[in-house]
Amino acid sequence: MYVIESKIDTNSETYRKNFQAMEALVEDLKKVLAVAMESRSKKALDRLKESGKLSAQKKLELLLDKNTPFLEIAPLAARGMYDGKVHKAGLIIGIGRVSGKEVMISINDATIKGGAAFPMSIKKSLRCQTIAMENRLPIISLIDSAGGYLPLQSEIFPDIDGGGRIFYNQARLSKMGIPQIAAVMGLCTAGGAYGVAMCDEIVHVKNHGAIFLGGPPLVKAATGEEVSADAMGGPEVHCRKSGVSDYIAEDDADAIAIVRKIVENLPDSEKAQLSRRPPEDPLYDPKEIYGIVSRDIATPYDCREIIARMVDGSRFLEFKELYGPTLVCGWAYIHGYPVGILGNNGVLFPESALKATQFIQICDKRKIPLLFLQNITGFIIGRAYEEGGITKNGHKMVNAVATASVPRFTVIVGASFGAGNYAMCGRSFSPRFLWMWPNAKIGVMGGVQAADVLVSITNDQNIRLGKPPLTAEEAQALRGPIEQNAEAEGNAYYSTARLWDDGILDPAKTRDALGLALSVSLNAPIRDDAYGYGIFRM
């Protein structure tokens, strides 16, 4: 592989302004993440302390092996939704190392609405299970939940992606042989009781852990029986009589210690093997990405400069460099793991799509994971390009992206618009992980382009009706709301709040997130049994 020779002038005015703009975005991101993790009402914190429970953050700290990283998933889920205070959708979810093993972790945060499940909480839990299934990760759930948030019950209950899907997935996880371990640290009512009972091993905390299909108020209303939560569903009941629970814990800390022992007792799983190399730092400082990425998303930059600050030794073997140059393809290593990288340097032309298709097939055949760096406004359009086969060549690329069976990872580093989002492995194409940078924009098209289309359509209608075209003032009145809406709904925070991605990353730390994700992906076979492709239109 060849070392990428950077052409960036780090002393230039453009670099300095870009750096300052991205640095400000990253600082804002840090503040927003801190609020999501730490902003809790005094009343909720006092109630937690009085009950003798640990905070979700403290539980996570005790659960993880000391001085090991935690790859949090969707830390800003539900941001700005509901009353604006359902931080993280009420759940801390992520991948960490427990007793030497990589595991998926889910922790209810009882200081947020008593740990009640909102629609985005369900979506986040389902994402947790999907990651566990794709990467064969044991799941540890530390449960303290008031159950479904009833005012929004119609959004969390009956549909295919409602709360019931969680139990369906638990059954599938069990069939796949993926361990599920639960610690009951609060109330687990109705569906929450099934969610616990469907786990392999259950640790039950004294005094405040309880499991039942109907809580004391419902039992009294339905049968007239008066019974306490502990008497009906506490650890004495379920460890001595019903057999639902398997271990009794004195408190939260003891429960976590028992969970760690259970994980230690799990059999070791062999990771898939790749042709790894000793990891190296990039030749260039990853933080220089701040000055490379244009502060105006419409201003292009060379994605090779990003790659040079992300891959080991800044070495990159570029594939078909002179053909379809608006898409950069090539091989590199990240933290010692081999990857095939596809990065946008402009719109996708027929040649770009063909190059991508061949490159993806090569990587899939060789069992090399794929990394997509998205900065794409879409495919080239126009009569000449249609005649040249852009549609059928784009189809080949989309087909290859969808059916490649090696692990795929996506980072949206700039624009992500239209069919370009799909072709570069957007969320709907199920990459193992997808992240955004704080400058990223996503949508069917950019706000300016959407407004131009609407103005053009309106003028065409006016011509057909014998009306004059829009005046400059009328056109602007039409443009304004479209552009404002695109800005509001196309930014990274809007996306991440709705779990269109797995989180917003600091560009300088993207390399480390990718290294962790690559390691995690190797818990599953590098390529599944469904290797192969559909029909490529010729």
Side-chain angles (χ1 to χ4, degrees):
M1 293 184 179
Y2 303 96
V3 172
I4 296 175
E5 185 177 342
S6 178
K7 297 179 175 61
I8 295 298
D9 179 4
T10 57
N11 296 313
S12 71
E13 181 73 4
T14 297
Y15 177 90
R16 185 182 63 80
K17 289 183 176 179
N18 285 344
F19 194 101
Q20 290 174 345
M22 182 62 81
E23 190 173 45
L25 290 174
V26 171
E27 286 304 313
D28 287 342
L29 174 62
K30 290 177 181 177
K31 292 175 184 176
V32 171
L33 288 169
V35 167
M37 181 62 85
E38 300 165 9
S39 179
R40 304 293 184 271
S41 71
K42 184 178 184 302
K43 181 180 178 181
L45 292 172
D46 288 345
R47 189 185 301 119
L48 192 76
K49 186 175 181 180
E50 289 167 7
S51 68
K53 297 179 181 179
L54 298 176
S55 68
Q57 298 94 308
K58 185 63 178 178
K59 291 175 183 176
L60 178 64
E61 179 187 330
L62 292 176
L63 181 62
L64 293 172
D65 292 351
K66 298 297 183 186
N67 302 315
T68 58
F70 179 64
L71 183 62
E72 188 171 2
I73 303 299
L76 298 178
R79 180 179 184 270
M81 301 175 71
Y82 315 121
D83 64 357
K85 297 178 181 178
V86 185
H87 304 298
K88 299 179 182 291
L91 293 163
I92 296 177
I93 284 176
I95 301 165
R97 191 169 288 276
V98 174
S99 298
K101 296 178 174 68
E102 288 176 329
V103 298
M104 171 59 75
I105 297 167
S106 174
I107 305 176
N108 289 109
D109 190 339
T111 61
I112 298 176
K113 313 294 184 183
F118 285 72
M120 292 308 301
S121 313
I122 301 299
K123 188 171 183 178
K124 189 169 179 178
S125 293
L126 292 173
R127 178 65 185 143
C128 166
Q129 292 178 318
T130 298
I131 292 172
M133 285 188 280
E134 288 180 339
N135 300 285
R136 306 296 195 274
L137 294 174
I139 298 181
I140 297 172
S141 300
L142 307 185
I143 304 171
D144 186 357
S145 173
Y149 184 67
L150 294 181
L152 297 176
Q153 63 167 332
S154 66
E155 298 179 42
I156 63 176
F157 174 60
D159 208 349
I160 191 170
D161 55 355
R165 192 72 175 186
I166 293 173
F167 313 133
Y168 172 82
N169 284 346
Q170 284 190 274
R172 292 177 62 213
L173 283 157
S174 182
K175 182 179 179 181
M176 294 169 70
I178 296 173
Q180 299 172 78
I181 300 158
V184 179
M185 297 175 160
L187 300 183
C188 298
T189 309
Y194 284 119
V196 173
M198 294 184 76
C199 291
D200 300 355
E201 297 182 71
I202 301 168
V203 182
H204 205 137
V205 179
K206 285 183 179 179
N207 301 320
H208 49 252
I211 306 169
F212 30 60
L213 294 184
L218 181 59
V219 170
K220 183 177 181 181
T223 69
E225 180 185 7
E226 292 192 17
V227 62
S228 71
D230 191 61
M232 184 166 61
E236 289 292 325
V237 173
H238 287 308
C239 285
R240 292 186 185 277
K241 298 179 179 179
S242 76
V244 170
S245 302
D246 306 303
Y247 309 88
I248 290 182
E250 295 296 323
D251 53 26
D252 286 353
D254 186 36
I256 291 170
I258 295 171
V259 167
R260 286 183 53 81
K261 290 181 183 299
I262 294 170
V263 176
E264 184 180 5
N265 194 47
L266 294 176
D268 292 332
S269 58
E270 279 193 28
K271 284 198 168 190
Q273 296 299 310
L274 294 176
S275 299
R276 294 186 60 189
R277 294 183 179 181
E280 297 179 68
D281 289 334
L283 186 63
Y284 310 100
D285 184 355
K287 202 167 183 179
E288 289 179 356
I289 293 173
Y290 290 9
I292 294 166
V293 176
S294 304
R295 56 195 181 279
D296 176 6
I297 202 165
T299 303
Y301 60 88
D302 188 351
C303 72
R304 295 178 186 85
E305 298 290 354
I306 290 175
I307 294 170
R309 289 154 180 85
M310 196 177 288
V311 303
D312 291 6
S314 300
R315 285 190 289 274
F316 184 61
L317 179 59
E318 188 163 350
F319 176 73
K320 273 183 160 44
E321 180 180 358
L322 303 179
Y323 183 80
T326 58
L327 184 69
V328 173
C329 300
W331 291 278
Y333 288 79
I334 294 178
H335 281 284
Y337 298 101
V339 289
I341 300 175
L342 299 92
N344 298 120
N345 258 1
V347 297
L348 291 167
F349 284 81
E351 297 82 5
S352 316
L354 287 174
K355 176 166 75 171
T357 303
Q358 183 184 359
F359 181 72
I360 290 167
Q361 287 184 301
I362 292 172
C363 290
D364 204 12
K365 192 75 171 176
R366 297 177 184 173
K367 299 184 179 182
I368 297 174
L370 291 163
L371 169 60
F372 296 83
L373 301 177
Q374 277 200 24
N375 183 19
I376 179 69
T377 55
F379 286 89
I380 192 68
I381 58 176
R383 178 178 175 181
Y385 299 107
E386 290 297 343
E387 291 176 352
I390 184 60
T391 299
K392 70 176 183 180
N393 291 342
H395 136 76
K396 294 184 182 74
M397 179 178 177
V398 169
N399 189 320
V401 171
T403 53
S405 57
V406 292
R408 295 162 298 144
F409 309 89
T410 302
V411 185
I412 301 177
V413 301
S416 179
F417 294 132
N421 170 279
Y422 307 148
M424 290 295 292
C425 203
R427 189 63 141 183
S428 56
F429 277 60
S430 296
R432 294 284 182 97
F433 297 91
L434 184 149
W435 292 283
M436 298 183 83
W437 283 355
N439 62 304
K441 304 287 183 186
I442 188 169
V444 175
M445 62 182 71
V448 173
Q449 291 78 16
D452 286 344
V453 169
L454 187 59
V455 168
S456 178
I457 290 173
T458 303
N459 279 331
D460 288 344
Q461 290 173 339
N462 286 348
I463 290 171
R464 287 197 300 272
L465 296 172
K467 294 181 179 180
L470 297 172
T471 65
E473 292 76 14
E474 289 172 333
Q476 186 53 44
L478 198 60
R479 288 175 181 278
I482 299 297
E483 293 180 7
Q484 291 168 14
N485 188 62
E487 178 61 30
E489 296 185 358
N491 66 71
Y493 288 107
Y494 190 92
S495 167
T496 206
R498 288 153 182 81
L499 266 80
W500 297 351
D501 55 68
D502 293 314
I504 304 173
L505 294 179
D506 177 346
K509 296 181 179 179
T510 301
R511 162 183 163 81
D512 293 337
L514 287 168
L516 290 170
L518 283 159
S519 173
V520 165
S521 73
L522 298 183
N523 288 286
I526 194 66
R527 195 176 69 200
D528 60 35
D529 294 333
Y531 171 72
Y533 295 86
I535 295 170
F536 287 147
R537 180 170 296 281
M538 296 305 181

